[in-house]
Structure formats: structure tokens, C-alpha cells
Amino acid sequence: ISKIEFRGDDNEIYEYIKQNQPIRAKAISNHFPKITQRTIERYIKQLKDENKIEFRGIPKTGGYFAK
């Protein structure tokens, strides 16, 4: 499986997560209105796979944290 190449938006999202943790996917999506929710979810998955972020807490109230 090859790594998906994004347009550099994943780095912007990573920086945004670092500055606004804990943060939920919906809040990230609201901050980047030109990027669809599904694409945000793909970026988040890639960042999790690269061990750059993690989700802490329960799904209803938890959020993403930079490692």
C-alpha cells in the first residue's frame, strides 16, 4: 500500500492540530472550508498512520492530539 500524496494540506492540518489540541475532526473541517470532511478524515488517518497524532478519550468527547 502506497502513501497517499496530498498537496501539503496534511502538514497545515497537522500544524493546526498542534496549535488547537484537543480538537475534533468537525472543528478541523470547519477551519478548512475548501477541504471536504471526507478528505480531512483521510488526512487524519494518514497522520495517525505516520504516528504524528493520536485520538484520546471517548468518541463523543475526545479529540486529536499531536505526538
Side-chain angles (χ1 to χ4, degrees), residues 1-64:
I1 299 174
S2 64
K3 178 182 165 189
I4 300 170
E5 287 298 321
F6 294 110
R7 301 163 295 172
D9 290 332
D10 58 335
N11 194 45
E12 283 185 54
I13 292 170
Y14 176 64
E15 290 301 319
Y16 187 70
I17 292 170
K18 277 180 27 179
Q19 295 168 9
N20 296 282
Q21 52 192 337
I23 191 162
R24 302 189 51 81
K26 185 68 176 166
I28 298 168
S29 182
N30 290 341
H31 183 77
F32 296 95
K34 293 184 179 184
I35 304 173
T36 65
Q37 175 80 24
R38 179 68 186 117
T39 301
I40 294 287
E41 290 168 4
R42 280 198 290 282
Y43 289 148
I44 288 171
K45 182 183 181 325
Q46 179 172 327
L47 290 168
K48 283 171 46 178
D49 290 347
E50 293 173 357
N51 211 26
K52 290 183 176 180
I53 64 170
E54 66 183 354
F55 187 87
R56 293 187 206 154
I58 60 173
K60 188 172 184 177
T61 60
Y64 290 99

